[in-house]
Amino acid sequence: MRAGQQVTHEPAPGEITVQCLQGRIAFTAQGQTEELGSGQFLYFAQCAPYTIRGIEDSTLLMTVLLAGKAGSAPVGSMQGAPTCP
């Protein structure tokens, strides 16, 4: 993600993690913004739109848990966690 680039997403179909691999990003959801630097990550379980903005040129990894979907299996404490409709 380039510095200044901003992407807004509809609610993910499940819980997500966002990890900043290098650079710096801002993750905003439900009126709160968290800045992440290299090596930091966050876990987001809410079914809400969110925005990711590059503060610096950045590389990030986003993972979506698709619990209950065909071909997926619950993992540890994630079993029974709420998912987006």
Side-chain angles (χ1 to χ4, degrees):
M1 173 170 272
R2 298 279 184 205
Q5 181 181 3
Q6 180 170 301
V7 179
T8 300
H9 295 275
E10 294 300 316
E15 300 147 292
I16 65 170
T17 61
V18 178
Q19 182 177 5
C20 183
L21 301 175
Q22 83 180 47
R24 190 156 195 80
I25 62 170
F27 179 92
T28 303
Q30 298 177 321
Q32 294 187 311
T33 299
E34 294 289 333
E35 289 190 12
L36 303 175
S38 295
Q40 294 182 308
F41 75 96
L42 64 77
Y43 166 79
F44 186 65
Q46 302 298 317
C47 296
Y50 58 92
T51 299
I52 300 174
R53 179 177 52 86
I55 297 171
E56 302 172 359
D57 286 352
S58 304
T59 303
L60 59 109
L61 171 67
M62 177 185 280
T63 306
V64 180
L65 174 66
L66 300 174
K69 305 290 184 198
S72 68
V75 179
S77 63
M78 296 293 198
Q79 188 171 358
T83 58
C84 292

